[in-house]
Amino acid sequence: MDPFLLEALLNGVLLGGVFALPVLGLNLIFGVVDVIWLCYAELVMVGMYAVWFLYTQAGWPLFLAFAICLPLVALLGGLLHVLVVKPLLSAPPINQVLATGGVLFVLQGAATLIFSTDFRSLGVEMPPIELGEVFVSGTKLAAFIAALVGAAVLWAFLKFTYVGTAIRAIARDREVMPLMGVDPRRIYLIASAAGGALAGLAACLLVVQLDVHPFVGLSFGPITFMICVMGGLGNMLGGFLAAFLMGLIVSVGGFYGSTDLSYVVAFLFFILVMFFRPRGLFTR
Amino acid sequence: MTPRAPRGMSGLTLPILLLAALACVPLLSPPDYLMHVLITVLLTALAGTGWALMGRFRLVSFGHGAFLGIGAYVMGLLWNYYDISPWLGVPIGVAAAVAAGLLLGYPCFQFRVVGHYFALVTLAAGEIVRILIVALRDITGGSLGMTPHQAPPGEAFAAMQFGKAGFWWIALAAWAAGLLAWRLLDRSMASKALAAIAEDEDAAASIGIRVTREKLMVTALSCALAALAGALTGQYRMYLNPESLAGLGISLQIVFGAIAGGMFSIIGPTIGALITIGLEESLRIAFGTQFTGAAALVYGILLVLFMIFLPRGIAGLLERPPRASTGRKAPAKGTVPAAQPPG
């Protein structure tokens, strides 16, 4: 096999791991609260700025900056739920989506005001790792492993804790769960904060690979929404698999053509999936 | 005498008088800056009107930027590479955008992609157009944008390159055409059919409404207005840029303007354009260019507040009392509660 193609495939898998975290977070929120956070990628952007600021400006150690980023974005997710989503819980879905779209503008505007539109780089790079014939970026591999760990922690949380069980139950049946003594408002808040924490983790993994600027969310936000829908909104496993599929399409498409055009192929693929499998690729 | 006649008369004289008054604005020789703002308001209002034309029937598109971009870039490329005047290029650009809209709309409506899914499919389509413009940088100038060639002296008219006054009249005519399209649609059976479809697609189909056809018709009209706005904006600024004419950012701004003004009223998107452009400009004057993010920040807060407290927009606030008393238009409006709070 052509080593360059092999490298593209490998990079696709690694890219899929990066897509997977925001996809899981969005799916968690959609499955539980039944709302699409249009500003999800912008929460990731806030986390990226937090890490960048603490590490390069305040001079903190990187792992400490990471450790702050997670709860910070989780808090932001909780705030977003309380301030914006909660008053709109009984409104038509499109109003909810547009309100979170307003938050998208707020976060982009705030980032522009505070940090200007300059591209900020963390300047951290791990040496490439040789795997047989191919070289893999150490940073990407580390991010991939962290993403898998994050996904595993989420899975364990949903599977083995009481709150996790309640979250899964409420995602399955919104009407009955309140009768079983589960307070949906609390579960909504917890799910939103957990979704925020996943955005925070995604921010830690992305900030070592991408430069931060106020519009960085637009570069991976749209594709994460598409991955979610392709996997079936609210379907965690489907979203996880679809993330790797999209990662492979983008990476291998970039190998045969250009990166720009590989995104066009990925988006076209998404549109076709919507026509033929509108409930997602992996629905039973 | 039918009860419709006096309504129709009074319904037409006021807009015509208003239009005539607006057409006289350049004769007062207002400052260039004011003219610039007013032209921008009209073109933004046209794009918003196009979006709301379908948005109010629950066909919420997050990709209307794409049609602005197609209109503008087709026109600009024809002028720069083939010397085809924008007088011809604008209609061709509009036709191209309508074709693209139908190409996307037909399978969407056939396969019944609705709600969230429709919004996300249009979002993907909008991004595809933006990325294509960026990727074809050898032709389009990519992210750096593109400048239409300056016409040789004496041929400015043939190249649709005017000063502020000339463009004011063009923008005014285009905006009036947009409102006319809205009004004609509202008075036709199609608007009743679309309202029924928005309410319940299956029920509408069962009483013989051709769902796909009606949706395609309103989509084509909506894309045409958006593309007209995009092409004229590009021609007016003499600068085309993929970020300001395609992609998610501009698509959401169109949506915000229309929602803030009120997407269920003919004048709503225009009110929205006045608000958004007025806000942007006054913030720019108040804070200068170093606070470029302030406009987006205030926008976003307002959008959230509008969604929570005023989902029918400002026009909805102004219009409710008379609408409730006159019965004629109430059914068509009332049956599209896409942005209405329950209860």
Side-chain angles (χ1 to χ4, degrees):
Chain A
M1 197 179 194
D2 182 355
F4 290 106
L5 179 60
L6 194 64
E7 206 167 294
L9 284 170
L10 210 58
N11 274 325
V13 174
L14 296 185
L15 188 63
V18 173
F19 287 149
L21 276 185
V23 166
L24 289 178
L26 270 172
N27 262 336
L28 179 66
I29 293 155
F30 183 82
V32 175
V33 193
D34 200 17
V35 167
I36 294 181
W37 283 5
L38 208 57
C39 57
Y40 197 80
E42 277 61 36
L43 291 183
V44 177
M45 180 262 292
V46 171
M48 291 168 77
Y49 266 117
V51 171
W52 170 81
F53 182 82
L54 292 174
Y55 178 69
T56 65
Q57 305 299 300
W60 291 25
L62 193 56
F63 73 91
L64 209 59
F66 284 167
I68 292 294
C69 173
L70 245 75
L72 179 80
V73 185
L75 182 74
L76 212 60
L79 271 179
L80 175 68
H81 177 75
V82 173
L83 294 179
V84 177
V85 175
K86 211 170 155 195
L88 287 169
L89 273 180
S90 54
I94 205 66
N95 295 27
Q96 301 166 341
V97 174
L98 286 172
T100 60
V103 178
L104 180 150
F105 284 127
V106 170
L107 295 178
Q108 279 185 357
T112 310
L113 266 180
I114 301 170
F115 299 109
S116 87
T117 49
D118 294 347
F119 283 49
R120 315 284 188 170
S121 166
L122 206 58
V124 177
E125 185 66 51
M126 288 162 74
I129 294 163
E130 197 179 345
L131 289 176
E133 287 181 83
V134 296
F135 283 93
V136 180
S137 147
T139 333
K140 282 185 183 167
L141 191 64
F144 174 75
I145 293 167
L148 287 191
V149 171
V153 169
L154 176 71
W155 176 78
F157 166 67
L158 290 177
K159 186 88 182 170
F160 298 118
T161 65
Y162 174 77
V163 173
T165 312
I167 285 180
R168 282 186 296 133
I170 216 156
R172 184 160 295 182
D173 194 325
R174 209 167 301 282
E175 275 78 44
V176 173
M177 277 322 286
L179 304 176
M180 303 286 148
V182 174
D183 180 6
R185 284 170 303 178
R186 212 180 112 235
I187 298 299
Y188 287 179
L189 187 59
I190 291 172
S192 299
L198 282 170
L201 183 57
C204 298
L205 307 186
L206 278 170
V207 75
V208 292
Q209 305 184 32
L210 294 176
D211 289 347
V212 197
H213 55 100
F215 305 102
V216 71
L218 294 181
S219 65
F220 58 85
I223 199 166
T224 39
F225 294 118
M226 291 168 207
I227 292 171
C228 274
V229 176
M230 268 172 54
L233 271 171
N235 180 347
M236 293 282 191
L237 186 62
F240 196 70
L241 294 176
F244 287 99
L245 190 60
M246 269 312 210
L248 282 173
I249 291 178
V250 168
S251 182
V252 176
F255 170 73
Y256 283 111
S258 73
T259 316
D260 294 328
L261 293 177
S262 70
Y263 273 91
V264 171
V265 172
F267 291 176
L268 276 177
F269 178 68
F270 163 76
I271 293 178
L272 288 178
V273 169
M274 281 302 91
F275 293 157
F276 297 108
R277 297 295 307 257
R279 300 280 160 239
L281 279 175
F282 306 105
T283 38
R284 269 160 267 161
Chain B
M1 187 189 253
T2 57
R4 191 177 294 183
R7 279 187 56 103
M9 288 293 287
S10 68
L12 269 181
T13 28
L14 190 66
I16 288 173
L17 283 177
L18 196 69
L19 209 59
L22 285 173
C24 294
V25 165
L27 305 179
L28 304 170
S29 55
D32 264 8
Y33 172 70
L34 184 66
M35 280 314 286
H36 167 72
V37 172
L38 290 175
I39 291 169
T40 313
V41 166
L42 280 186
L43 294 177
T44 311
L46 179 61
T49 304
W51 179 87
L53 207 59
M54 62 192 289
R56 65 195 169 127
F57 295 116
R58 283 198 185 163
L59 293 167
V60 172
S61 156
F62 280 173
H64 254 48
F67 304 114
L68 267 78
I70 292 174
Y73 272 89
V74 167
M75 174 210 72
L77 293 173
L78 286 176
W79 170 244
N80 273 8
Y81 290 94
Y82 300 100
D83 284 328
I84 295 174
S85 157
W87 288 110
L88 212 61
V90 172
I92 296 175
V94 168
V98 169
L102 294 178
L103 191 70
L104 180 70
Y106 182 74
C108 268
F109 304 146
Q110 274 296 316
F111 291 109
R112 305 195 54 175
V113 178
V114 291
H116 281 330
Y117 297 94
F118 183 73
L120 285 168
V121 164
T122 51
L123 191 155
E127 282 297 295
I128 287 176
V129 170
R130 185 187 63 85
I131 296 170
L132 281 178
I133 293 172
V134 174
L136 301 173
R137 51 182 66 80
D138 294 340
I139 309 166
T140 61
S143 319
L144 295 176
M146 183 175 104
T147 313
H149 296 321
Q150 204 74 38
E155 289 174 34
F157 183 84
M160 207 197 263
Q161 293 176 0
F162 303 112
K164 299 274 189 281
F167 240 96
W168 168 256
W169 286 314
I170 290 184
L172 191 65
W175 171 75
L179 296 195
L180 188 67
W182 180 297
R183 190 182 164 88
L184 290 178
L185 178 69
D186 248 12
R187 302 198 136 204
S188 70
M189 279 301 287
S191 80
K192 311 280 186 292
L194 283 163
I197 291 167
E199 193 64 21
D200 187 335
E201 221 172 293
D202 290 320
S206 76
I207 56 166
I209 292 171
R210 278 174 286 191
V211 174
T212 302
R213 222 179 83 157
E214 299 291 351
K215 282 184 173 178
L216 280 179
M217 189 271 304
V218 75
T219 304
L221 206 53
S222 169
C223 294
L225 296 187
L228 184 61
L232 292 180
T233 305
Q235 183 66 14
Y236 168 62
R237 291 188 195 149
M238 290 296 276
Y239 174 63
L240 313 183
N241 178 296
E243 302 304 325
S244 65
L245 285 170
L248 183 57
I250 182 70
S251 299
L252 283 179
Q253 277 177 32
I254 296 172
V255 177
F256 169 55
I259 299 262
M263 68 166 159
F264 297 101
S265 153
I266 183 165
I267 206 72
T270 304
I271 298 176
L274 268 171
I275 297 171
T276 49
I277 303 294
L279 193 71
E280 212 171 313
E281 292 298 319
S282 49
L283 285 169
R284 212 157 53 88
I285 293 168
F287 295 117
T289 44
Q290 70 212 89
F291 292 116
T292 37
L297 189 71
V298 177
Y299 252 29
I301 293 173
L302 281 178
L303 181 49
V304 174
L305 292 177
F306 267 111
M307 280 298 113
I308 295 176
F309 298 109
L310 208 60
R312 285 182 75 90
I314 290 180
L317 198 69
L318 298 175
E319 278 207 346
R320 205 163 288 169
R323 271 286 135 77
S325 58
T326 62
R328 220 176 70 82
K329 272 192 180 163
K333 304 282 182 192
T335 44
V336 195
Q340 215 168 15

